[in-house]
């Protein structure tokens, strides 16, 4: 046996060598004219990566056929049809020079030998110093030697003088033709006679056959107790086995004797039977090979993940929807649109079917209608050329039947099988068109085939007849064409274009994918909503909501080519538009990979070979074969798997049906195919082995075309493979993707080896590591990007499946393990998300929580609970983003295409359920009760502790009922409470799973109105309470718990007076109308009750009275009456008239006037005197004057002032004053002007704990950045703490922050509302006007709730308008000293508590204090009595 086996050659593979001419792989879009990369010698991998029955493509060297006993070895290789290569090796004495002669017949004169030598002690090619003339070095990796032309042949001689060289490996390159020649797609390899090296002793190098090294390494492993080796240990063991055998050979032990000892066979066996192996040899080699392939004994049981900075995974591509995209002007109606509309306006006209055809740059519209019992066909075209309609009628598919003369339009000509009718010119709204109208006399006709003729030129529909199907289910487009809101929030025109093309798309997958490819540019031009519309259409297709094939025979390779064209276009968009990548991944996943050429055709060809090779030409296999020939689809992947499962189960037919049914295929669906499958599979036991082999290979072809998330085929496509199948699979070859990291093959092998492990943790780590390794190539738009995307999709899909499989494993897991799993799932979600900053900071938070557990920090559970709450917010935000982005398109396109209503309703929900977000949500739900138990948080948070009784009513959102009045005591179970809502009249209690801040507006209002307000964290308790809707319940509270019971209505009547008071409207109050007292601006010393509100007066009062370490910002004010004075100025006469008119509309309860009122106020012009006085007061107080920077800066300040004035007419404030019978006209608005402190933190203090009523305890909440995220009801919780007034150095943290957003601003001026209605005694008016973000633009919330006069939470909070816009920053709490440094935290919280206590003592009553922290210093920006 020769010294080099095929296995040893495999170790010296030349990765990346291009496909040989004899077995090309067609990639026409990838063809290049430049010279392909030559082979490069690579070091040995621990084990070749295998995928199922394929091996990844590593071009193997092939051993030449040599005979050691012969003095000359000869190799003969075919190069082309009339050309071959002959190689001879001259025998040489031991240690002498070996001579290798090459002769290539019928070649050009530009042939080059690209070569290197092989030694057993080196992994790369050796470049011998003895070289033929003309030899050059190529990149220090190979030698290149030109052949010498001799007639029609080319010759070359190479001499090797190094006795350690065992073989040479090479390729041929024809420079003139830029063409490589290989040996069946692999390197040529010629061994040198072993007599040259034998007897070299220890200094020599003797090659050991790889099969013997493999057996020796296996025996060593058994002797060592079958240990689990690491990858490095495995390599060491393998080389140690080689060294042992090499040493024996160098000592003179004959190879035959060595083989006999290892295989326990007589020495003569090899001589006697060289072509066969003994049973013992085969068995031992089989065991060794099995051990090598399985790798679970040799390989590590989990990978070592690289240490990375998580923020390296950051994506900040936000797929925004511009106002122009959403509110794009409707396209100008064409004459065909007008024609359609004119038909619809007819009496009782129903559209039976409608089809729009393209004829060049013109269109022809065919419509069948039924009106007054008559069926009519209308054909209209915007083509101006004179046209003749050549038409017929059909009662079955493919039929042409001449119509009766009685229905032929006037002037028609009847032919044998058809009729010809000239189009008649007509006009609509000045637009010209041509039309033919035909009234039918028989409802039995199925459709109308037709073509057009212009003179002698025939016009057809892409080489086919036009056809209008009368029985086609009519789309609803005609019914919604002119309804106002239909299609709002979508790329409406683009969706209607899809609907027009759907009937063509239904002919086959080839048609659908080609149409989809044609639509890609239109989708891109429509922006995000266009991409979403394309996704919705493809998703409807993949979920079988649309027809896949309508009696159209198409070749699989044509489907594959169309699919490849579409996915190539998506790949190109993926490269150029990173903000759309998340949606494009979804489209690609729904479509599958595709592949031009033989990939698709193999589906058609291989089924025939399977039938022939396995003697199964009839029955179900023949029916499936006919279906495959007619039109292959993703169902075929399921059918193939069902057959495989059936065979593996020893032909249990119930297993076949179980696999089908689990994947959505039942008997009715099998019968619905154009080539129906009626039969069940039925095979013989002797067919089992061959069918499993061939169907396994066939499954790869099916998945290569139809599956976008199949892991095995995705890995094979990226890493390369050459199939080991027989017959039809020979020559199926895919090259590896370039640029993958060196350890990537082993990483993917690890994934495949562990993909079915019961314990999923090592697999999850491997999958994530692979995705992270892929990420740079996905970002850099690498070559063969599409294959990499499909690999990433497959890794993601496998990850989700593995997590779901691990739920049982986590049932009794320690908290640390659950947190670790949550971190893994978050990382996986981040890798699939275009804008993942918040997700990454959630991940960093969980990692910090795990570190706190290791350090035995007793705060870990409290901190982890905040991480959990923030993660839930991130998922909710993601779900809301998907819903707003996708659902309108699903609903509109679904209506156009008649998609089942249930499928439309759950469209977005199913998208979310299928992603990592749903997996993560399930983990969080499992972990929440664990955390609450460890942190002693209980199931309730009581925000307003009141004992109440009332009727249970369930609502989705408190916002949607805030203006409603209930006529009996009501306890609302509100699924959503954001924090800025009003408590409806008649409501005595609100229970919610949401977590508004304890100091949010709704929390304060609940306490002031004596309404029970509590958060319930236990979903089972919530579900139980919701199930009692309509019943009467009694609720009692403590500071941390709620008890409840059902009571009778008579008990309700006898309930305490406190309950009767709860929820009732406050008694009518009165306001004193303020007058303008002659000053447009005043400084703090002039802050009096006649001039400004309590907010400004309190700030002035604090100045100089609080401790010196508490800062008070400098303030000036625009006093009461100034707005009315400005409005009365002559320059604002028109504005005043408009406001008076709008007040009249308000008096008539036309509440839409509120928004118009706010906008009208913004038209005010500033009187010169106002500008002069405000400038003087600001400068004299030490504040900067905006106008000194530029006129534009003053205009910004003036706009901010007007927005504060306009806030008088915000919806929440208006309805709140009506509720307590305040005269809204008497509300006056002063404006407090302060310089903004660019805060590190902001806080709100209640100097008496509002939850417990404990006056000895201060309660406070702190946020990072400006306080608007706290008072403005931004999502998430603030950090909360309590502090005993007699121990202000010992604050106790109640909860860590979960708010994802912080607001930061440069040095600027802020303008705060300060009305005469905010602090009326007994009226909880505080917060009506404290914050304005963007009041003057309609948002999705105002649109959704406009009928209940509600606005967004951020818009309806109290009004403070900064002159400059704040920066929204996604917060990373793991770098925040307030979280990570306990000493810093204690110092800051103690200082906040001390400031609150000092102010309370100054006023002598509980206070509600707002302030900020900057560089450790406390600033108080306002205080008022705590309500």
């Amino acid at each position: 046996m020769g010294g080099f086996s095929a296995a040893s050659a495999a170790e010296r593979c030349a990765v990346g060598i291009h496909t040989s001419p004899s077995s090309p792989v067609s990639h026409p879009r990838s063809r290049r004219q430049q010279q392909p990369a030559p082979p490069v010698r690579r070091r040995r991998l621990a084990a070749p990566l295998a995928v199922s029955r394929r091996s990844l493509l590593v071009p193997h060297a092939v051993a030449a056929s040599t005979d050691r006993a012969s003095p000359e070895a000869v190799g003969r290789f075919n190069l082309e049809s009339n050309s071959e290569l002959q190689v001879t090796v001259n025998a040489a004495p031991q240690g002498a020079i070996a001579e290798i002669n090459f002769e290539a017949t019928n070649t050009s004169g530009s042939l080059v030998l690209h070569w290197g030598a092989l030694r057993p002690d080196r992994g790369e090619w050796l470049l011998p110093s003895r070289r033929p003339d003309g030899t050059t070095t190529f990149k220090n990796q190979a030698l290149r030697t030109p052949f010498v032309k001799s007639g029609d042949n080319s010759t070359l001689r190479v001499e090797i003088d190094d006795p350690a060289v065992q073989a040479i490996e090479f390729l041929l390159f024809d420079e003139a033709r830029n063409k490589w020649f290989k040996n069946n797609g692999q390197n040529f390899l010629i061994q040198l006679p072993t007599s040259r090296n034998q007897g070299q002793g220890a200094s020599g190098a003797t090659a050991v056959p790889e099969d013997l090294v493999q057996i020796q390494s296996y025996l060593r492993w058994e002797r060592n107790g079958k240990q689990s080796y690491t990858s490095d240990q495995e390599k060491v063991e393998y080389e140690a086995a080689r060294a042992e055998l090499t040493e024996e050979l160098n000592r003179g032990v004959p190879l035959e004797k060595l083989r006999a000892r290892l295989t326990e066979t007589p020495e003569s066996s090899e001589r006697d039977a060289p072509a066969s192996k003994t049973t013992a040899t085969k068995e031992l080699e089989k065991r060794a090979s099995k051990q090598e392939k399985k790798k679970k004994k040799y390989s590590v049981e989990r990978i070592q993940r690289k240490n990375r900075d998580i923020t390296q995974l950051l994506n900040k591509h936000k797929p925004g929807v511009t106002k122009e995209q959403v509110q794009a002007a409707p396209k100008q109606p064409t004459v065909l649109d007008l024609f359609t509309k004119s038909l619809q306006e007819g009496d009782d006209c129903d559209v039976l079917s409608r089809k729009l055809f393209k004829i060049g740059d013109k269109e022809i519209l065919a419509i069948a209608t039924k009106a007054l019992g008559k069926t009519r066909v209308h054909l209209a075209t915007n083509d101006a050329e004179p046209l003749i309609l050549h038409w017929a009628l059909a009662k079955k598919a493919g039929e042409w039947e001449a119509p009766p003369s009685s229905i032929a339009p006037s002037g028609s000509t009847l032919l044998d099988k058809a009729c010809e009718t000239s189009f008649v010119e007509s006009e609509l709204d000045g637009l010209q068109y041509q039309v033919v109208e035909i009234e039918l006399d028989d409802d039995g006709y199925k459709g109308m085939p037709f073509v057009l003729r212009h003179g002698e030129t025939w016009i057809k529909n892409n080489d086919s007849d036009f056809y209008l199907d009368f029985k086609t289910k009519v789309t609803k487009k005609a019914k919604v064409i002119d309804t106002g809101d239909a299609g709002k929030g979508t790329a409406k025109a683009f969706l209607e274009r899809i609907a027009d093309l759907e009937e063509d798309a239904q002919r086959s997958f080839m048609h659908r994918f080609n149409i989809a490819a044609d639509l890609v540019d239109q989708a891109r031009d429509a922006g995000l909503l266009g991409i979403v519309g394309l996704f919705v259409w493809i998703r409807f297709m993949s979920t079988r909501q649309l027809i896949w094939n309508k009696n159209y025979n198409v070749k699989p390779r044509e489907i594959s080519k169309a699919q490849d064209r579409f996915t190539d276009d998506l790949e190109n968009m993926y490269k150029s538009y990173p903000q759309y990548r998340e949606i494009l991944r979804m489209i690609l996943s729904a479509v599958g990979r595709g592949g031009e050429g033989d990939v698709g055709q193999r589906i058609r060809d291989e089924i025939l070979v399977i039938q022939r090779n396995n003697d199964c030409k009839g029955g179900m296999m023949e029916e499936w074969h006919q279906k495959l020939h007619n039109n292959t689809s993703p169902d075929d992947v399921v059918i193939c798997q069902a057959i495989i499962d059936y065979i593996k189960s020893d032909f249990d037919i119930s297993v076949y049906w179980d696999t089908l049914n689990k994947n959505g295929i039942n008997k009715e669906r099998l019968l619905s195919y154009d080539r129906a499958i009626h039969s069940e599979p039925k095979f013989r036991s002797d067919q089992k082995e061959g069918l499993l082999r061939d169907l396994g290979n066939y499954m790869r072809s099916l998945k290569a075309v139809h599956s976008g998330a199949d892991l095995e085929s995705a890995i094979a496509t990226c890493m390369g493979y050459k199939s080991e199948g027989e017959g039809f699979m020979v020559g199926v070859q895919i090259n590896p993707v370039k640029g993958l990291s060196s350890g990537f093959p082993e990483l993917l092998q690890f994934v495949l080896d562990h993909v079915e492990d019961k314990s999923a943790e090592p697999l999850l780590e491997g999958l994530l590591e692979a995705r992270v390794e892929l990420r740079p190539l996905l970002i850099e738009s690498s070559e063969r990007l599409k294959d990499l995307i499909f690999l990433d999709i497959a890794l993601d899909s496998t990850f989700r499946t593995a997590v779901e499989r691990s739920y049982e494993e986590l049932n009794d897991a320690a908290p640390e393990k659950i947190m670790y799993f949550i971190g893994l799932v978050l990382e996986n979600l981040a890798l699939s998300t275009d804008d993942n900053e918040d997700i990454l900071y959630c991940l960093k938070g969980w990692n910090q929580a795990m570190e706190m557990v290791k350090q035995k920090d007793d705060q870990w559970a409290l901190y982890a609970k905040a991480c959990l709450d923030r993660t839930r917010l991130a998922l909710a935000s993601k779900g809301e983003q998907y819903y707003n982005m996708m659902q309108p398109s699903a609903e509109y396109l679904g209506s156009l295409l008649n998609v089942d209503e249930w499928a439309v309703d759950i469209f977005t929900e199913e998208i979310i359920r299928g992603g990592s977000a749903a997996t993560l949500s399930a983990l969080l739900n499992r972990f929440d009760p664990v955390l609450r138990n460890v942190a002693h948080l209980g199931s309730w948070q009581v925000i307003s502790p009141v004992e109440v009784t009332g009727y249970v009513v369930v609502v989705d959102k408190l916002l949607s009922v805030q203006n409603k009045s209930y006529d009996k005591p009501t306890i609302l179970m509100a699924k959503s409470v954001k924090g800025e809502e009003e408590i409806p009249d008649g409501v005595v209690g609100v229970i919610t799973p949401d977590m508004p801040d304890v100091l949010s507006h709704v929390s304060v209002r609940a306490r002031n109105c004596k309404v029970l307000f509590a958060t319930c964290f236990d979903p089972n308790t919530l579900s139980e309470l919701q199930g009692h809707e309509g019943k009467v319940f009694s609720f009692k509270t403590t500071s941390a718990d709620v008890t409840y019971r059902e009571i009778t209505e008579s008990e309700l009547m006898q309930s305490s007076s406190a309950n009767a008071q709860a929820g009732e409207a406050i008694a009518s109050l009165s306001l004193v109308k303020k007058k303008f007292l002659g000053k447009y601006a005043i400084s703090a010393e002039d802050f009096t009750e006649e001039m400004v509100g309590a907010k400004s007066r309190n700030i002035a009062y604090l100045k100089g009275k609080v401790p010196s370490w508490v800062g008070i910002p400098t303030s000036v004010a625009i006093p009461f009456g100034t707005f009315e004075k400005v409005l009365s100025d002559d320059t604002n006469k028109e504005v005043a008239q408009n406001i008076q008119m709008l007040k009249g509309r308000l008096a008539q309860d036309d509440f839409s006037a509120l928004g118009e009122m706010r906008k009208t106020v913004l038209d005010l012009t500033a009187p010169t005197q106002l500008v002069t006085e405000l400038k003087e007061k600001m400068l004299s107080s030490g504040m900067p004057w905006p106008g000194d920077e530029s006129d534009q800066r003053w205009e910004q300040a003036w706009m901010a002032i007007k927005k504060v004035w306009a806030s008088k007419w915000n919806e929440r404030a208006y309805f709140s004053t009506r509720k307590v019978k305040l005269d809204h006209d008497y509300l006056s608005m002063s404006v407090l002007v302060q310089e903004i402190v660019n805060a590190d933190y902001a806080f709100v203090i209640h100097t008496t704990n509002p939850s417990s009523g404990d006056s000895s305890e201060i309660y406070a909440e702190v946020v990072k950045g400006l306080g608007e995220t706290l008072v403005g009801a931004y999502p998430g919780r603030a950090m909360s703490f309590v502090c005993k007034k007699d121990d202000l150095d010992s604050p106790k943290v109640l909860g860590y922050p979960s708010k994802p957003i912080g607001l930061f601003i440069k040095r600027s001026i802020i303008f705060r509302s300060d009305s005469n209605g905010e602090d009326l005694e007994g009226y909880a008016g505080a917060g009506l006007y404290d914050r304005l973000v963007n009041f003057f633009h309609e948002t999705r919330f105002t649109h959704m709730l406009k009928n209940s006069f509600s606005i967004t939470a951020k818009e309806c909070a109290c009004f403070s308008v900064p002159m400059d816009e704040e920066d929204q920053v996604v917060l990373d709490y793991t770098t925040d000293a307030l979280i990570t440094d306990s000493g810093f935290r204690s110092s800051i919280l103690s200082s906040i508590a001390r400031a609150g206590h000092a102010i309370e003592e100054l006023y002598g009553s509980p206070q509600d204090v707002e302030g900020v922290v900057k560089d450790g210093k406390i600033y108080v920006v306002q205080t008022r009595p705590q309500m």
Side-chain angles (χ1 to χ4, degrees), residues 14 140 183 261 283 295 344 376 522 772 915 956 1081 1334 1398:
N140 291 322
N183 182 25
R261 177 175 63 79
E283 180 59 27
K295 287 180 62 83
Q344 293 169 341
R376 292 182 175 87
Q522 297 176 49
V772 174
D956 283 331
N1334 184 19

Side-chain angles (χ1 to χ4, degrees), residues 9 79 414-415 479 502 631 703 738 743 880 1029 1076 1091 1125 1131 1168 1269 1330 1353:
L79 299 181
L414 282 172
L415 306 175
K479 307 297 182 186
E502 173 58 26
N631 203 321
K703 286 181 175 179
K738 296 178 182 178
E880 184 181 10
E1029 184 168 19
F1076 181 67
M1091 302 290 278
K1125 178 66 175 174
T1131 58
T1168 304
T1269 59
D1330 295 349

Side-chain angles (χ1 to χ4, degrees), residues 554-561 600-601 603-604 628-629 632:
V554 60
K555 298 175 182 176
R557 69 161 157 247
E558 293 170 336
I559 296 176
S560 181
K561 183 176 180 180
Q601 185 58 27
I603 291 176
R604 194 166 185 165
L628 289 160
H629 268 240
T632 183

Side-chain angles (χ1 to χ4, degrees), residues 355-367:
K355 189 71 186 293
L356 186 69
F357 301 97
K358 296 287 290 185
I359 47 175
D361 59 347
K362 303 298 182 183
E363 295 175 321
I364 182 167
L365 175 68
I367 301 181

Side-chain angles (χ1 to χ4, degrees), residues 281-569:
T281 302
K282 290 179 180 179
E283 180 59 27
L284 195 52
E285 288 183 351
K286 181 178 178 182
R287 288 162 60 198
S289 177
K290 182 178 180 181
Q291 178 60 33
E292 177 70 17
K293 289 179 180 177
K294 189 173 181 185
K295 287 180 62 83
K296 290 194 177 180
K297 297 290 185 184
Y298 268 110
S299 67
V300 292
E301 288 306 313
R302 66 194 305 160
I303 62 160
Q304 184 68 41
R305 295 206 64 190
K306 296 178 182 177
N307 290 322
R308 299 181 179 88
D309 180 358
I310 290 173
T311 56
Q312 291 178 354
L313 306 181
L314 180 65
N315 292 327
K316 295 183 85 169
H317 304 300
K318 298 185 178 181
V321 180
T322 66
K323 185 178 178 182
E324 289 73 22
Q325 288 172 347
V326 177
Q327 300 178 349
K331 64 177 183 179
Q332 193 68 23
T334 67
V335 67
L336 299 184
D337 292 332
L338 296 174
F339 179 74
T340 301
K341 186 177 179 182
S342 69
L343 292 179
Q344 293 169 341
E345 290 173 347
D347 293 336
D348 298 322
C349 178
D350 290 326
V351 176
L352 301 178
S353 59
R354 178 182 183 274
K355 189 71 186 293
L356 186 69
F357 301 97
K358 296 287 290 185
I359 47 175
D361 59 347
K362 303 298 182 183
E363 295 175 321
I364 182 167
L365 175 68
I367 301 181
T369 65
K370 193 157 192 173
L372 303 176
K374 297 288 186 180
T375 301
R376 292 182 175 87
V377 178
H378 314 261
L379 292 102
T381 178
N382 57 4
D383 194 331
E385 298 287 348
L387 293 174
I388 293 175
L389 178 69
H390 183 93
W391 61 284
L393 294 172
K395 291 188 176 181
K396 60 182 180 180
E399 182 179 61
W400 274 73
E401 179 182 315
S405 59
S406 59
I407 69 170
S410 176
S412 296
T413 303
L414 282 172
L415 306 175
D416 181 30
K417 293 286 186 180
C419 179
E420 289 197 338
T421 304
S422 296
F423 279 79
V424 177
E425 293 183 358
S426 190
E427 178 182 311
L428 270 173
D429 290 358
L431 300 174
Q432 304 294 319
Y433 70 102
Q434 299 187 76
V435 65
V436 170
E437 295 190 358
I438 304 164
E439 184 175 306
L440 304 182
D441 63 349
D442 184 355
D443 287 340
Y445 296 116
K446 302 294 185 184
M448 187 178 102
F450 64 94
V451 294
L452 304 175
R453 183 162 60 82
H454 170 57
E456 297 303 316
T457 302
W458 291 93
I459 302 170
K460 304 185 76 176
N461 182 26
N462 295 325
D463 297 325
S464 299
D465 298 337
F466 296 101
Y467 186 78
L468 178 64
D469 188 347
F470 299 159
K471 303 301 181 184
T472 298
K473 190 178 180 183
V474 65
T475 69
K476 298 178 184 176
K477 179 178 178 180
K479 307 297 182 186
V480 297
I481 266 181
D482 288 319
T483 59
D485 286 343
K488 192 165 186 178
T490 74
K492 184 175 181 180
F494 178 66
L495 297 184
E496 290 173 354
R497 180 62 181 157
I498 289 176
D500 286 337
L501 297 169
E502 173 58 26
E503 189 171 340
D504 266 348
Q506 291 177 358
R507 297 168 72 185
S508 73
F509 276 121
M510 178 193 72
H511 292 83
R512 188 174 297 279
F513 291 139
N514 276 327
I515 290 170
D518 292 338
L519 290 172
V520 166
D521 286 346
Q522 297 176 49
R524 180 201 60 217
D525 293 343
L528 173 64
L529 295 179
I531 309 297
V532 168
L534 187 62
F535 165 65
V536 169
W537 183 47
I538 294 299
R539 172 76 179 181
F540 280 151
M541 176 273 295
S542 68
T543 55
R544 303 188 179 107
Q545 291 300 316
L546 304 177
I547 296 172
W548 283 5
N549 179 264
K550 193 165 16 177
N551 199 30
Y552 194 93
N553 192 350
V554 60
K555 298 175 182 176
R557 69 161 157 247
E558 293 170 336
I559 296 176
S560 181
K561 183 176 180 180
Q563 194 174 3
D564 204 39
R565 178 187 167 216
F566 178 36
T567 52
D568 280 350
D569 289 342

Side-chain angles (χ1 to χ4, degrees), residues 1126-1405:
V1126 171
L1127 188 63
S1128 67
D1129 192 273
D1130 288 344
T1131 58
N1132 294 312
K1133 187 177 295 185
E1134 185 177 346
V1135 176
Q1137 291 172 351
N1138 291 336
I1139 285 180
Q1140 198 60 37
M1141 180 268 295
L1142 290 168
K1143 283 183 177 180
R1145 285 172 53 187
L1146 270 179
Q1148 300 299 317
D1149 288 346
D1150 179 0
F1151 301 120
S1152 64
L1154 288 170
E1156 295 179 51
M1157 189 83 79
R1158 295 193 299 270
K1159 291 178 182 178
T1160 302
V1161 170
L1162 301 187
D1163 294 331
L1164 287 170
T1165 300
T1168 304
Q1169 188 64 24
L1170 182 149
V1171 180
T1172 302
E1173 290 188 26
L1174 183 59
K1175 177 180 179 180
E1176 187 273 324
K1177 292 300 180 184
M1178 290 180 68
L1179 290 175
S1180 65
S1181 299
M1183 299 171 67
W1185 171 245
D1188 286 345
E1189 298 178 54
S1190 67
D1191 290 342
Q1192 186 265 337
R1193 293 288 288 163
W1194 158 245
E1195 288 300 327
Q1196 282 180 248
W1198 175 234
M1199 180 58 70
I1201 293 168
K1202 291 187 288 186
K1203 287 181 178 180
V1204 173
W1205 283 337
S1207 71
K1208 175 179 175 178
W1209 288 278
N1210 90 55
E1211 277 85 346
R1212 197 189 81 192
Y1214 183 81
F1215 291 115
S1216 184
T1217 55
R1218 279 170 57 101
K1219 188 175 183 179
V1220 293
K1221 299 179 175 60
L1222 283 173
D1223 188 338
H1224 189 262
D1225 272 349
Y1226 276 38
L1227 270 176
S1228 294
M1229 187 78 70
S1230 65
V1231 181
L1232 177 62
V1233 184
Q1234 295 177 314
E1235 189 171 4
I1236 291 179
V1237 178
N1238 186 7
D1240 300 322
Y1241 306 99
F1243 59 82
V1244 174
I1245 307 168
H1246 277 198
T1247 58
T1248 290
N1249 189 327
S1251 296
S1252 64
D1254 186 352
S1255 61
S1256 70
E1257 191 172 64
I1258 289 172
Y1259 176 89
E1261 294 183 341
V1262 186
V1263 295
K1264 195 168 176 63
L1266 299 178
E1268 277 66 32
T1269 59
L1270 181 55
V1271 300
Y1274 278 67
R1277 296 293 296 273
M1279 170 179 272
S1280 59
F1281 72 95
V1282 292
C1283 194
K1284 291 293 184 181
K1285 293 174 183 175
D1286 60 359
D1287 189 9
L1288 293 171
D1289 290 327
S1290 304
K1292 178 184 177 183
V1293 175
L1294 300 180
Y1296 284 90
S1298 61
K1299 287 185 181 288
I1301 297 296
L1303 297 178
F1304 298 87
I1305 197 169
K1306 62 182 182 180
R1307 185 185 183 192
S1308 186
I1309 304 296
I1310 192 165
F1311 301 86
R1312 302 181 186 274
S1313 64
D1314 191 16
S1315 78
N1316 63 336
E1318 292 188 36
D1319 294 287
L1320 288 172
E1321 186 176 354
Y1323 174 50
L1328 289 180
Y1329 301 103
D1330 295 349
R1331 174 70 185 143
L1332 172 65
V1333 174
N1334 184 19
F1335 213 134
F1336 305 95
H1337 295 90
E1338 183 180 39
T1339 69
R1340 63 179 179 273
F1341 297 104
T1342 57
H1343 170 67
M1344 288 164 57
L1345 299 170
K1346 62 186 179 182
N1347 293 328
S1348 60
F1349 320 112
S1350 301
I1351 54 175
T1352 66
K1354 291 197 298 187
E1355 290 173 339
C1356 66
C1358 43
F1359 279 62
S1360 297
V1361 187
M1363 198 174 79
D1364 296 285
E1365 198 169 324
E1366 307 102 323
D1367 293 324
Q1368 284 199 7
V1369 176
V1370 182
L1371 298 176
D1372 179 5
Y1373 290 112
T1374 65
T1375 60
D1376 183 0
L1378 193 66
I1379 308 301
T1380 61
D1381 186 337
S1382 60
F1384 177 79
R1385 178 169 64 246
S1386 180
S1387 172
I1388 293 295
L1389 300 188
S1390 292
S1391 296
I1392 291 171
R1394 288 178 185 280
H1397 185 52
I1399 292 172
E1400 181 185 53
E1401 290 196 325
L1402 183 63
Y1403 279 93
S1405 63

Side-chain angles (χ1 to χ4, degrees), residues 143 436 660 1048:
L143 298 177
V436 170
L660 290 179
T1048 65

Side-chain angles (χ1 to χ4, degrees), residues 52-112:
S52 187
R53 294 176 58 85
R54 287 176 297 192
S55 61
L56 298 181
L57 177 65
V58 187
H60 297 269
V62 176
S65 176
T66 60
D67 184 352
R68 289 190 305 104
S70 171
E72 182 176 67
V74 179
R76 190 182 297 271
F77 309 91
N78 288 326
L79 299 181
E80 292 184 292
S81 58
N82 63 341
S83 177
E84 68 174 22
L85 173 69
Q86 299 177 13
V87 183
T88 61
V89 181
N90 288 343
Q94 180 176 318
I97 296 171
E99 185 178 280
I100 309 160
N101 294 295
F102 301 83
E103 183 175 15
T105 62
N106 298 315
T107 59
S108 68
S110 56
L111 201 63
V112 172

